[in-house]
Every structure is written in structure tokens, then in C-alpha cells.
Amino acid sequence: MPAPIEDYAVIGDCHTAALISRQGAIDWLCLPRFDSASMFGALLGTEEHGQWLLRPIGAVECAERHYEEDTLVLVTRWRSPTGEIEVIDAMPHGDRRADLVRRVRGISGEVAVEQLLRIRFDYASAMPWMRQGGTDEHPALVAIAGPDAVVVRGPRFRAVDHAHRAEFVVREGETVDTVLTWFPAHRVAPEPLDIDGQLDRTREWWRDWASTCAAPGAYDEHVRRSLLVLRALTHEDTGGIVAAPTTSLPEDMGGSRNWDYRYVWLRDAALTLEALMLHGYQTGAAEWRAWLLRAIAGDPQDLQIMYGLSGERRLTEYELDSLPGYRGSAPVRIGNGAYTQFQGDIFGEVLIALDRARDLGIEEDEFSWALQTELLKHAEKHLDRRDNGIWEIRGPHRTFTHSRAMLWAAFDRGAHAVRVHGLSGDAERWEALRDGLREEIMRNGVSEGGWFVQHYETEEVDASLLQLAHIGFVAYDDPRMLATVARIEETLLRGGLPLRYRTESGIDGLPGDEHPFLACAFWLVENYARGGRLDDGVALMDRLVGLANDVRAPRRGVRRRRRAPHGQYAASPLAPRPRARSGCDRDRAQA
């Protein structure tokens, strides 16, 4: 049985990522890209579906683990009756190779260490042909199946019941390295890795990137770590930002709400881009804009809500029978059928992110602004079209309030680009469309009780409505926004954390339930803090960061909270960032 989802640590090289448990097992790894087939798939089954275990013989769980400061280099400390070791897990960055390093260092005494290696290519459907290579002094184990091959260099592995086992003793001051390298099966194995050099260069790269972070002061450690993860999910070559490195982790334990998230959603990527720019990473905006231009290249009428890492358009969804699912949560799905959906909110998400980039001084080129004007034309053409909404509802199309508000934002940002930045475009028309959408939402999207509704045919609420103040559609202290927050508290909170929506309403047409969605909880923090309930915002934020697992970066000595004279946290993402909007009677406040 795999470890609890929340117990895993992640390492990556900006091409793919591996998940490592407290038991010292790599239970998920797809090589060479995030969306490649898994070779370690125990996360969605058992060790027989692929796993790389490394730990002291007889140990059950590590003593402590942390990331080296401002890196994705994971250090795991193990203690045994005979001594102490640490394991350094890293995926070297920037060498144009797919390597994974597991370094064992002796801290004190001597410790007997075991490795169990079960390689299962193609989502555990392909048992590889294994052969021994190298020399007696420098052994190498090669695994090949179909197009995939890996070479494992380090201690000698021996075959044991469809697995390979290595045992060795590490004494104080000694270091034992094992390196796994993926390569195309039709080529020869790459030369051995310069381990010390690549680890040093990898640490330096991560720290150089982190050094430019405009950290908020409040919750600094958690913000910096989150930004590092967002960078790790950004593909180095293409600029595509994946929503997650995994597939089919369940929304409902034991249920069928299991989807593949190893793709680039325009919405998720735009939100990630906003977060990165907010903390000083403006250069990523131009790179993602270039990715967007390539993905949508041709006719914006063909716009999709999501694409592959390189802009692939066909993401056909199918089910696997080679993996049983996380703790029996089946089916396991590859691909995502949502790529065929229409979701009106993506126009707003994309235009908001690119508007922020302009405000930060990133100039448009002859293609980027032309693309945005075409997107606005496309949005206008489909202005009255019902959609699947932000949560990719697989039931009937609806007129979702959040989607309509995001269309409002799209036209608002288009007009702003003309009025403030001097770009060419029909600002008057876009302002008229924006104002018409506002009137429509206020007429049809507000319940008799005074709160915004999920869609025009219900009085149910939806956590996506927490975004309405964030995009500047209303003020945080607008009575309708306050009523919406109160209604969400009444109907969507489970254990104090918000659900996306009530599945009991039957809106999504799917069986089963789901758990609270933590992203929405952070949106609620923002609404509390900006809507006059700062203490409630702090309490919820403290609870959310308290949900983080045991993996910690070394402390920086930054105080977690720092009061500013005006009552907000100094340099905090909760602090207001208002600026006047052309044609809008509300301040736009970004948190």
C-alpha cells in the first residue's frame, strides 16, 4: 500500500518529478517528461507496479527530512542502533539528461543499507529485460523495454523475485552513490554522471533562482517553498506549466473522481504566472506568453482550455488496467477528456495574467497583442454560450457566474490595455461588453438572499465565487461579496475547510463525493483578510500552513508575522495592491 498522499516529498529537474515517501521509496516517476509513462508506479498500486526503495536494513520510517535551503534537493536522516546516515535525493538540473541521484552519507557508526529496485515501464505494463554491465569495480544494471531504457550505476544489484536488491555498509565519513539514468532504448547508455559537479551546479541553479524572490515576510518559508514547487512544475524547454506531476489521485477516496493533471491548463498556468510575477519573476511571463502563442497558433477559434507540455492538442482520455489505483481508487486515467470542453473563464484568466505582465513593464510584441485581440473577438462571438465552468463539470452546460465574471474581466483588461498602455483596439466596444456583463450578473447571478450564485438556475454557491473580488468585479466588503462568503461558510465548509461545491446538488453528474479543496481555502483567507476579518484570515492561514507535512527547509530566521502600522502584515500577499481601473468604479485589489 502506498504512503498517505500528504506524506510524500517531491524532487524534480523542471522536466519531470519524483515522489518519495517517508519509508525511503520512490513511488512515482515518469521519464523523461511529466507526461511520459511511469516507470515507478507504486503510488497507484503496490511495489510490484514499480518502486525504488532505499533505507537502512530493518528500518520502517526515517527520523527526519528536509530540503537543502532554497533547492529541491531532499535530505533524509536515518538512525539505527548501529549508527546514523543521511540520504540525499536529487534530480540534476541543466545537463540535458534524465538522471536521479541517491547519495548515502555515513554520519556516525556504521549502517547496513538496502536497496530494492522494481522497474516497470509503461504504467507497469512492461516488465523490462535486465542485464548486468559495467565492471566489477563499477557495475551497471541496464533495463530495457520497448522505447525506454535506464542504466543504474552504483552498488551491484542482484536479481531477487522480479526485483533487484543491493546491500552495502556505510561508515562515518563514507559516501555511496547510486545514479539512475533514462535513455532511449535504441541508443547506447550515456556516460557516467559527474555526480559532485552536477549536484553542486543543481544547488547553485535553484539558489540563484530563489535569490530573486520578493518574499512577503509573513509566512516566508512556506511562500518560498511553494514558489520553488511552481518553478519545478514549469517545463524548462517548452515553458508549459503542468497542473501536477501525477495522475489519478482521488478526489474521493475509493471513488472514480480520478483525473490526469500532467498537462497545461490555461487557467492554472495563468494563475501560476500571476503568483510568480507577484513575487518578482517577470521573465517567466514572456516565456509563457511565447508558449501560449505556439499552442494557440493558427486560429483562436480552435482555442482549447488545456494543452500538452509542448502545446499538443489531442489529449484523448482512456483508462488503464495495469494500475489498480491509489488505495483502490479506480479507474486510473491517462489523458483528460476535459480538453474538448468550453470554459468561458479562461479568457479572463489569460487576459488578467497578461495584463499584470504589461503593468510590470513586459512589452507586447507584434504577435502577442494581436493574439489577445483575437481572443477577445472569440470571446465576444461566444458571449452567450453556456459552458462547463471552472471545475470542468461533466453535466449539462450552465451559465456559471464565475465564468461570466471572468469574461467581464477579459473585456475590462482589454480596454485597460488601450486606455492605459496605448495599444490599438476598440476600447469603447470592450467597455460596453464589460458593462453589459456586469448588469447581467447583478440581475441573474445574485440570489434573493443577496449572495452570488453558482449559476443562473440555482441558489447554490460555489467556491469559485471567492475570486470575484480578487479580479476587481466587486469590492471585498461589498454586501453581496460578504453575503457570498457567509453562505459559503454555511453550506460548503467541511471541518472548517471549503468544498468547491456541493456534489449533492447533482451539478457534475458524477457519483460519489469529494474532499475540501485547499486552493479555495486560500481564496477564503484573502476574502477574510481584505473583507474586514483579518483575525479570521490569520487563523485560517495558520491552519492551512499547519497542514504542511514534515519536510521543511532550514529556518531563515525570518519572523513569521510582522505587523505593519496600518494593521496588515508588512510585505504580505494579504496586503492590498489597489489601482484605479478605467471605467470601473471599484479598486482592483490583488492579493
Side-chain angles (χ1 to χ4, degrees):
M1 182 177 293
I5 293 171
E6 63 271 21
D7 280 359
Y8 284 96
V10 64
I11 61 173
D13 61 358
C14 298
H15 290 264
T16 189
L19 297 187
I20 306 175
S21 73
R22 286 181 55 84
Q23 291 74 40
I26 297 178
D27 284 344
W28 184 255
L29 177 62
C30 302
L31 289 172
R33 298 201 329 176
F34 294 105
D35 55 355
S36 300
S38 68
M39 62 174 290
F40 297 135
L43 180 68
L44 300 181
T46 71
E47 66 271 13
E48 294 302 325
H49 297 96
Q51 183 186 74
W52 184 1
L53 181 71
L54 189 159
R55 65 186 183 189
I57 294 175
V60 176
E61 195 171 88
C62 68
E64 180 268 334
R65 56 185 180 163
H66 65 270
Y67 289 106
E68 293 186 6
E69 185 175 343
D70 285 342
T71 75
L72 249 67
V73 177
L74 179 68
V75 180
T76 305
R77 186 67 64 99
W78 297 86
R79 299 187 182 97
S80 77
T82 60
E84 186 173 345
I85 63 169
E86 67 179 18
V87 176
I88 297 173
D89 286 305
M91 299 187 74
H93 176 273
D95 60 356
R96 318 308 303 172
R97 292 168 48 135
D99 297 305
L100 196 158
V101 176
R102 309 200 77 178
R103 164 168 283 184
V104 182
R105 292 175 51 188
I107 304 300
S108 64
E110 62 178 40
V111 180
V113 178
E114 65 176 342
Q115 295 194 68
L116 278 173
L117 185 66
R118 294 179 173 89
I119 297 173
R120 304 290 187 268
F121 290 119
D122 197 14
Y123 301 112
S125 68
M127 182 78 72
W129 168 51
M130 310 286 291
R131 60 184 177 86
Q132 297 285 353
T135 65
D136 289 339
E137 186 177 359
H138 300 289
L141 181 67
V142 178
I144 295 176
D148 298 299
V150 297
V151 56
V152 183
R153 296 183 172 101
R156 181 172 293 279
F157 284 84
R158 303 189 184 280
V160 180
D161 295 331
H162 299 293
H164 281 76
R165 183 182 183 89
E167 295 183 5
F168 53 92
V169 173
V170 179
R171 297 173 179 83
E172 181 177 346
E174 294 180 344
T175 297
V176 177
D177 293 323
T178 308
V179 180
L180 180 149
T181 304
W182 177 92
F183 62 98
H186 62 277
R187 296 182 180 172
V188 298
E191 292 297 311
L193 184 71
D194 172 14
I195 301 172
D196 288 333
Q198 277 306 117
L199 287 180
D200 288 343
R201 283 186 284 273
T202 297
R203 293 183 179 103
E204 182 180 4
W205 184 86
W206 282 112
R207 287 169 179 157
D208 282 349
W209 187 85
S211 68
T212 60
C213 173
Y219 306 99
D220 175 75
E221 174 189 340
H222 298 89
V223 171
R224 295 177 73 91
R225 179 54 46 187
S226 297
L227 291 168
L228 284 165
V229 172
L230 292 179
R231 181 62 186 91
L233 295 178
T234 304
H235 193 266
E236 181 181 29
D237 291 340
T238 69
I241 305 170
V242 295
T246 52
T247 179
S248 302
L249 293 180
E251 295 174 11
D252 180 22
M253 196 67 70
S256 61
R257 295 168 179 259
N258 319 314
W259 316 108
D260 192 348
Y261 286 111
R262 299 171 300 159
Y263 305 109
V264 186
W265 271 256
L266 297 189
R267 174 194 310 109
D268 297 58
L271 291 171
T272 297
L273 190 64
E274 247 196 302
L276 290 170
M277 289 190 293
L278 182 64
H279 292 92
Y281 294 102
Q282 286 82 26
T283 56
E287 294 174 1
W288 184 76
R289 191 176 66 188
W291 177 92
L292 183 66
L293 284 165
R294 296 193 303 271
I296 303 178
D299 188 350
Q301 299 292 324
D302 298 328
L303 179 72
Q304 296 181 184
I305 67 161
M306 57 185 290
Y307 297 85
L309 276 172
S310 300
E312 296 91 342
R313 295 169 179 257
R314 193 177 300 276
L315 308 175
T316 306
E317 182 179 305
Y318 62 96
E319 297 177 2
L320 291 178
D321 57 12
S322 56
L323 292 170
Y326 178 82
R327 300 194 174 190
S329 300
V332 170
R333 294 184 173 95
I334 305 302
N336 197 308
Y339 82 95
T340 63
Q341 291 185 356
F342 175 73
Q343 297 173 14
D345 70 288
I346 64 170
F347 296 100
E349 303 285 9
V350 170
L351 268 294
I352 287 170
L354 296 180
D355 176 71
R356 168 56 67 91
R358 277 192 299 273
D359 287 346
L360 291 172
I362 299 175
E363 296 184 0
E364 301 287 356
D365 59 35
E366 59 178 315
F367 300 110
S368 63
W369 176 241
L371 168 68
Q372 293 169 68
T373 59
E374 286 300 314
L375 287 177
L376 288 169
K377 291 178 184 177
H378 185 48
E380 180 180 356
K381 182 176 180 179
H382 294 276
L383 193 58
D384 297 324
R385 183 176 175 182
R386 295 183 171 196
D387 72 340
N388 299 91
I390 184 175
W391 308 128
E392 299 170 1
I393 300 298
R394 297 199 176 197
H397 288 184
R398 307 281 188 179
T399 307
F400 288 98
T401 302
H402 173 266
S403 295
R404 306 302 286 171
M406 282 298 177
L407 285 166
W408 172 93
F411 294 114
D412 177 70
R413 285 4 179 226
H416 179 257
V418 176
R419 301 293 191 196
V420 176
H421 293 282
L423 297 171
S424 61
D426 194 343
E428 290 185 4
R429 180 166 186 79
W430 292 337
E431 288 167 347
L433 291 167
R434 177 198 64 194
D435 295 343
L437 280 163
R438 182 178 180 83
E439 292 175 6
E440 173 203 308
I441 294 168
M442 293 305 186
R443 182 175 62 252
N444 300 322
V446 181
S447 73
E448 291 184 2
W451 59 79
F452 290 105
V453 296
Q454 181 183 40
H455 60 83
Y456 290 176
E457 302 168 41
T458 185
E459 291 208 347
E460 295 272 349
V461 288
D462 183 309
S464 65
L465 299 169
L466 294 169
Q467 288 271 282
L468 298 191
H470 178 81
I471 65 173
F473 182 76
V474 292
Y476 287 89
D477 59 356
D478 184 289
R480 289 158 294 201
M481 197 66 236
L482 296 178
T484 303
V485 171
R487 190 62 177 171
I488 286 172
E489 290 176 311
E490 292 171 10
T491 62
L492 293 188
L493 294 192
R494 181 178 294 174
L497 300 173
L499 302 166
R500 297 184 299 175
Y501 53 87
R502 288 195 328 117
T503 57
E504 305 95 298
S505 69
I507 182 69
D508 60 18
L510 295 170
D513 196 7
E514 62 176 40
H515 290 273
F517 198 65
L518 294 186
C520 299
F522 287 104
W523 297 347
L524 186 56
V525 167
E526 180 183 343
N527 276 271
Y528 282 158
R530 301 297 309 282
R533 297 170 60 181
L534 184 59
D535 288 343
D536 289 336
V538 171
L540 181 54
M541 187 71 177
D542 284 346
R543 182 178 178 193
L544 288 168
V545 298
L547 295 175
N549 66 15
D550 61 294
V551 185
R552 292 286 189 269
R555 298 297 298 180
R556 296 174 155 273
V558 176
R559 292 193 307 174
R560 189 166 125 303
R561 296 185 193 160
R562 188 157 45 92
R563 289 279 187 181
H566 53 70
Q568 292 285 358
Y569 290 143
S572 167
L574 301 181
R577 292 172 175 265
R579 66 175 170 82
R581 300 296 303 175
S582 173
C584 181
D585 60 354
R586 303 290 183 185
D587 286 339
R588 176 184 174 214
Q590 295 288 352

